[in-house]
Amino acid sequence: VTQEQFFRVMGANPSRSTAAALPVDRVAWSEAMEFCRRLTQTLGKKLAGRVYRLPTEAEWEYACRAGSDTRYYFGDNDATLAEFAWFLHNSNGRLQPVGGTKPNPWGLYDMHGNAMEWVLDWASYDYYSVSPVDDPVGPPTGTTRVGRGGSCESSPLECRSAARNLEMPQYRRSYTGFRVVIGSADALTKMVV
């Protein structure tokens, strides 16, 4: 979600450095959820039973990997990461305009860097050892939420497809944003938020 998109829906821009094409940042988890609620409400008639929401952690990783099983969706070589992601070594620690690097095979940009992204799930270190194999939605409660993807301040290790960050949901970090998915309203009521 860019700063321009966030401002159109929310009427404010919490970001540290402002520019319309930059990812919105300094967004608390609840603000990302409110953005989704308002966007769904605004476009409700067009969506016909669909809602905008944060992706689950499993959905986010599935989209990031785009069918790959390597460290990054383009392979395992850290030396080529700069072609696909804004991270500490090529961003000067600053957010960059969305879509400025190569997309993954499914056409998704900035999955490995630029802004870390909130997902729907509560965080747990051991949840996936006991979760359903198909479409896990995270533990039912918790104190921290999950952020996925690297950021403009991340090392290559922190940009891997499997990397995850556990964050207090009220935190407003200068590198934390979000992306949205469109899903079924019925499915959302089954997810714990």
Side-chain angles (χ1 to χ4, degrees), residues 4 48 93 104:
E4 179 182 24
N104 76 7

Side-chain angles (χ1 to χ4, degrees), residues 153-164:
E153 298 180 0
S154 296
S155 70
L157 182 65
E158 296 167 313
C159 292
R160 295 171 302 114
S161 298
R164 56 199 307 252

Side-chain angles (χ1 to χ4, degrees), residues 131-189:
S131 72
V133 175
D134 294 332
D135 298 325
V137 294
T141 62
T143 56
T144 56
R145 293 283 183 177
V146 179
R148 294 300 302 261
S151 77
C152 59
E153 298 180 0
S154 296
S155 70
L157 182 65
E158 296 167 313
C159 292
R160 295 171 302 114
S161 298
R164 56 199 307 252
N165 299 286
L166 282 57
E167 302 278 345
M168 298 301 292
Q170 68 272 22
Y171 283 177
R172 299 169 168 279
R173 300 217 188 269
S174 59
Y175 54 80
T176 303
F178 64 101
R179 73 178 60 228
V180 299
V181 298
I182 300 174
S184 153
D186 291 339
L188 183 62
T189 60

Side-chain angles (χ1 to χ4, degrees), residues 28-89:
W29 184 89
S30 61
E31 290 172 315
M33 292 293 286
E34 179 62 14
F35 174 91
C36 293
R37 188 191 68 74
R38 289 186 190 185
L39 187 60
T40 298
Q41 187 176 39
T42 301
L43 302 174
K45 291 181 182 177
K46 294 180 184 177
L47 291 175
R50 313 289 276 169
V51 295
Y52 284 94
R53 62 173 173 80
L54 297 177
T56 65
E57 186 173 8
E59 289 170 334
W60 188 96
E61 187 166 332
Y62 181 80
C64 178
R65 288 186 177 281
S68 71
D69 61 0
T70 52
R71 179 181 290 206
Y72 310 103
Y73 58 73
F74 56 85
D76 292 317
N77 188 352
D78 291 351
T80 57
L81 181 60
E83 295 177 40
F84 301 91
W86 294 111
F87 66 113
L88 187 59
H89 299 160

